[in-house]
């Protein structure tokens, strides 16, 4: 079961980004469980995912049935947060929370939703505060962002969507107004101008020697683990499920298994039936090393022949149908294979730190106050201290079920 480490990914008009807590370090992570070709394709997908999901300063996107997260604010026109003399209304907070929640995978277990919703209120408030801090600074500086700069930023966004990508189509799908995208681009362009000198200096320091030193001192991050490659289809069992409910779910799992034995395509069945985040990958879980998963799951992975449909097994998560597709040995990935991506990740980390310093400086000279009900139930998300490690970059490989 994947943990939901929701870092806000904030996008710059020049295709750079900042991750999460405005001061935490982003630990580079090159997933060793994939081939170089898969890694290259995964990195391309990663950049596109950032461009699409972030859509400038955390404005949500993604197709998902409409759900509303209510922070219990009384009147949408009431000011919920003051940033100096600028007020952020309860309605703005509500809209931001709903956008963030639209990014939550649809198949997250129901029992995790309340906690996610509560966290998103804090994240929404924090994101709005940061934008207001930058907006206030831009107004104080009397800086003017030209129409040409905004149009260039929009072209950069569209280019990142890949061949055939359309910004207008994406905005229509996500119901995100172009006006809001342009406003956020203005903030981003202004911020880029303010940090340009410091950022250029930081990026110049990411030399091949620095990249190589990181690789040499963190071999565990570039080691392909030994283990079997597996896919699965999961039917989740609620924690409070009765024996009758469990029996029904097992019967459904058995019915799926019979379809697979009859020739149904495993990947397609996983996309249609599985309740795991791996469903969108056709059930692929990547490498399953020994000692990491629930015992019954591990025994199935290491006990059944390759490319056969296993018996239905039960873990604390639910019922699984497992297919083992291969095996790999432990191996240190050569530096040349990871150098390109590692360089980009270290540059992203440097950009994040420079931006964190800029935002911290704005925060230190501002007066920020939560008011009304929000002050009691949704304090702003805390900053991540510079010496701590923020969530790692999303790896290309899937996340498997947990050992419990």
């Amino acid at each position: 079961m994947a943990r939901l480490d929701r870092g806000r990914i904030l996008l710059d008009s020049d295709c750079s980004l900042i991750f999460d807590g405005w001061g935490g370090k982003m630990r580079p992570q090159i997933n060793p469980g994939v081939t170089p070709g898969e890694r290259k394709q995964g990195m391309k997908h990663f950049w596109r995912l950032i461009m699409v999901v972030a859509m400038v300063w955390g404005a949500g996107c993604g197709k998902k049935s409409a759900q509303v997260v209510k922070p219990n604010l009384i009147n949408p026109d009431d000011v919920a947060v003051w940033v100096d003399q600028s007020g952020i209304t309860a309605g703005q907070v509500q809209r931001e929370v709903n956008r963030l929640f639209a990014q939550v995978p649809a198949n997250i277990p129901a029992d995790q939703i309340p906690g996610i919703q509560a966290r998103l209120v804090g994240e929404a408030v924090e994101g709005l505060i940061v934008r207001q801090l930058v907006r206030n600074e831009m107004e104080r500086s009397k800086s003017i962002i030209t129409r040409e700069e905004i149009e260039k930023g929009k072209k950069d966004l569209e280019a990142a969507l890949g061949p055939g990508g359309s910004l207008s189509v994406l905005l229509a799908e996500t119901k995100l107004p172009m006006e809001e995208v342009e406003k956020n681009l203005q903030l981003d362009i202004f911020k880029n101008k303010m940090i340009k000198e410091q950022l250029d200096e930081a990026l110049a320091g990411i030399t091949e020697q620095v990249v190589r030193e990181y690789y040499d001192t963190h071999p565990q991050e570039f080691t392909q683990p030994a283990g079997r490659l597996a896919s699965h289809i999961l039917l989740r069992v609620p924690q409070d499920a009765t024996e009758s409910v469990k029996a029904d779910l097992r019967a459904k799992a058995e019915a799926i298994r019979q379809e697979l034995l009859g020739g149904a395509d495993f990947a397609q069945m996983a996309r249609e039936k599985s309740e795991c985040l791996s469903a969108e990958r056709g059930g692929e879980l990547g490498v399953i090393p020994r000692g990491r998963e629930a015992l019954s799951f591990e025994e199935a992975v290491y006990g059944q022949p390759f490319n056969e449909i296993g018996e239905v097994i039960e873990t604390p998560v639910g019922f699984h149908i497992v297919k083992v597709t291969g095996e790999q040995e432990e191996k240190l990935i050569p530096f040349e294979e990871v150098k390109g991506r590692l360089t980009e990740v270290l540059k992203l980390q440097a950009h994040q730190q420079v931006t964190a310093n800029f935002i911290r400086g704005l925060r230190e000279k501002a007066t920020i106050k939560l008011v009304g009900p929000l002050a009691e139930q949704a304090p702003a998300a805390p900053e991540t201290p510079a010496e701590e490690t923020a969530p790692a970059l999303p790896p290309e490989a899937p996340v498997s079920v947990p050992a419990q």
Side-chain angles (χ1 to χ4, degrees):
M1 185 187 307
R3 290 186 177 88
L4 189 66
D5 285 329
R6 284 191 43 78
R8 257 184 346 281
I9 299 178
L10 308 182
L11 177 65
D12 294 325
S13 58
D14 61 357
C15 300
S16 52
L17 61 90
I18 313 95
F19 189 84
D20 203 13
W22 306 101
K25 292 183 178 179
M26 190 163 51
R27 181 173 63 86
Q29 186 176 77
I30 307 301
N31 185 356
V34 292
T35 66
E38 291 172 328
R39 189 172 299 111
K40 181 178 180 181
Q41 182 64 27
M43 189 59 180
K44 179 179 179 182
H45 173 72
F46 170 70
W47 277 103
R48 179 171 181 174
L49 181 66
I50 288 173
M51 299 295 291
V52 173
V53 173
M55 277 312 299
V56 189
W57 294 77
C61 79
K63 294 181 179 178
K64 194 172 188 290
S65 56
Q67 300 191 52
V68 177
V69 184
K70 295 184 178 179
N72 297 322
L73 304 177
I74 299 174
N75 187 323
D77 295 326
D78 287 347
V79 172
V81 187
W82 286 103
V83 180
D84 293 327
Q85 303 303 311
S86 302
I88 298 170
T89 68
Q92 288 176 283
V93 175
Q94 180 70 73
R95 288 191 294 273
E96 189 71 3
V97 172
N98 291 339
R99 285 177 179 167
L100 290 172
F101 191 66
Q103 299 173 26
V104 177
N107 53 0
I108 285 291
D111 60 352
Q112 293 186 19
I113 295 298
I116 292 170
Q117 291 175 336
R119 180 176 178 182
L120 292 187
V121 174
E123 290 193 8
V125 171
E126 174 68 5
L128 290 167
I129 288 173
V130 167
R131 275 174 263 178
Q132 192 62 56
L133 285 167
V134 177
R135 186 177 296 110
N136 289 353
E137 183 69 10
M138 184 170 67
E139 292 173 355
R140 281 192 293 267
S141 71
K142 301 187 185 303
S143 177
I144 297 176
I145 306 302
T146 67
R147 185 77 238 169
E148 290 76 13
E149 290 174 305
I150 294 173
E151 291 302 319
K152 181 182 182 301
K154 288 159 63 176
K155 288 180 180 179
D156 289 341
L157 284 173
E158 190 159 64
L161 298 177
S166 169
L167 182 59
S168 59
V169 170
L170 179 61
L171 297 185
E173 290 177 349
T174 59
K175 297 180 174 58
L176 185 64
M178 180 63 76
E179 180 183 4
E180 186 164 352
V181 172
E182 292 185 354
K183 286 181 179 179
N184 289 333
L185 273 172
Q186 285 183 311
L187 299 180
D188 228 19
I189 294 167
F190 170 75
K191 181 265 298 176
N192 286 340
K193 291 180 178 181
M194 295 298 100
I195 67 172
K196 185 180 186 305
E197 184 176 338
Q198 296 92 329
L199 181 60
D200 288 346
E201 182 180 351
L203 295 181
I206 309 300
T207 63
E208 183 167 344
Q209 180 182 351
V210 168
V211 176
R212 181 74 205 206
E213 287 176 356
Y214 188 96
Y215 174 85
D216 290 339
T217 55
H218 299 80
Q220 71 282 0
E221 295 181 19
F222 310 98
T223 299
Q224 171 182 286
R228 286 195 163 192
L229 304 172
S231 299
H232 81 149
I233 296 172
L234 167 65
L235 297 185
R236 293 188 181 276
V237 176
Q239 292 183 350
D240 57 352
T242 64
E243 291 303 315
S244 175
V245 170
K246 287 184 178 181
D248 287 344
L249 288 171
R250 178 180 281 278
K252 289 181 181 179
E254 291 287 358
I256 293 172
R257 179 174 180 272
Q258 290 304 315
E259 289 189 59
L260 294 169
L261 292 173
D265 181 74
F266 193 97
Q268 186 60 36
M269 290 290 284
R271 292 187 185 97
E272 295 175 359
K273 306 290 187 181
S274 183
E275 297 173 339
C276 176
L277 296 177
S278 65
E280 63 185 26
R281 298 183 295 272
E284 292 183 5
L285 293 172
V287 182
I288 310 296
R290 286 189 178 275
R292 191 183 71 184
E293 313 301 339
L295 181 59
S296 57
F297 192 88
E298 179 178 310
E299 289 176 345
V301 169
Y302 284 89
Q304 65 187 59
F306 293 163
N307 298 314
E308 292 191 7
I309 306 302
E311 300 286 342
V312 173
I313 61 168
E314 182 178 1
T315 72
V317 179
F319 295 106
H320 309 253
I321 305 152
V322 177
K323 180 180 179 180
V324 181
T325 57
E327 194 164 18
Q328 69 178 27
E329 297 179 352
E330 181 174 288
K331 181 183 73 173
L332 180 66
I333 300 173
F335 175 68
E336 290 303 317
E337 290 186 21
V338 300
K339 179 175 71 173
R341 186 181 181 216
L342 178 56
T343 300
E344 290 304 312
V345 170
L346 291 175
K347 287 181 178 179
L348 296 180
Q349 177 181 309
H351 194 168
Q352 179 218 9
Q353 188 62 61
V354 171
T355 302
N357 293 339
F358 173 67
I359 298 299
R360 189 176 296 111
L362 298 183
R363 189 184 293 272
E364 287 174 353
K365 63 183 182 182
T367 300
I368 301 170
K369 183 179 180 182
L370 302 180
V371 296
L374 190 59
E376 300 176 1
Q377 61 178 312
E383 294 187 70
T384 304
E387 65 273 14
E388 292 185 2
T389 299
L393 282 174
E396 294 100 347
V399 180
S400 63
V401 294
Q404 294 188 13

